[in-house]
Amino acid sequence: MFGTVVVGVGIAGLARIRDLMNPMPSSPSEHLKLFGFVSRRSFGNINEAKQISLEDALRSKEIHAAFISTENRTHEETIRMFLEAGKHVLVEYPMALSAKAAHELWEMAEQKGKVLHVEHIELLTEEYKQLKKEVAGKDLVKGTLHFTGSVLDENKTGFPAFSGIARLTWLIDLFGDLTVTSATREKQKDKNYSRMTVHFQTANK
């Protein structure tokens, strides 16, 4: 069995705990054993998974891999700690807040002989696979992608572009490399409202 730990218990972390505790029959997950989860908050147990300290997770010889599901801003530091401790790492997208940091982390994983995998789970959904089939072989003339959500704490999630970067990856996966032609941001603090509008151009303009 391959020992794992989940770091962070937001929506993604709780889903990972659930899936690791109840793996699909005959799936690779059956070979993973969850030794616990790490959180800044005190929970005790979640679905029979026990809470352990970050230090214990890093030191444990039984834990071979960490699933990182924390806020964007903490990904880089947490990845470094687990790679230094000789663990494989799976991290929720985005891996870091800069391309430079991401490349450094991949180089570090290579030097340590460990797997560093970034998972963008939305690209694996049936809805997205269907969307990809629908646009295959078609030329993009013009399009709009609009999504909404609650206002996020920038100290934890990073600049707003990082809150929406998962959706930008949809566009690149569907239509190839994009160039930013303009970007604006509107904020209304009294209404707790923020909007970012970005225009992109494909390689064939």
Side-chain angles (χ1 to χ4, degrees), residues 81-176:
M81 286 191 290
F82 278 96
L83 288 177
E84 286 286 1
K87 318 288 187 192
H88 301 289
V89 176
L90 179 146
V91 62
E92 305 287 344
Y93 189 92
M95 178 164 65
L97 296 189
S98 74
K100 181 176 180 287
H103 286 293
E104 287 174 1
L105 292 170
W106 265 313
E107 286 171 14
M108 184 179 178
E110 197 171 334
Q111 289 166 3
K112 297 277 185 185
K114 299 299 171 186
V115 172
L116 171 54
H117 175 70
V118 188
E119 184 157 284
H120 187 350
I121 201 157
E122 289 178 356
L123 300 185
L124 304 175
T125 62
E126 291 307 316
E127 293 86 351
Y128 182 80
K129 289 176 185 175
Q130 183 59 38
L131 177 62
K132 194 160 185 176
K133 280 181 189 172
E134 287 175 16
V135 303
K138 295 178 183 173
D139 290 326
L140 175 67
V141 178
K142 189 175 182 181
T144 302
L145 177 65
H146 180 195
F147 57 94
T148 60
S150 57
V151 177
L152 299 173
D153 181 349
E154 289 185 32
N155 290 324
K156 294 179 179 178
T157 60
F159 188 66
F162 276 89
S163 306
I165 202 166
R167 271 53 175 217
L168 303 187
T169 308
W170 287 16
L171 297 179
I172 292 170
D173 188 55
L174 293 171
F175 305 113

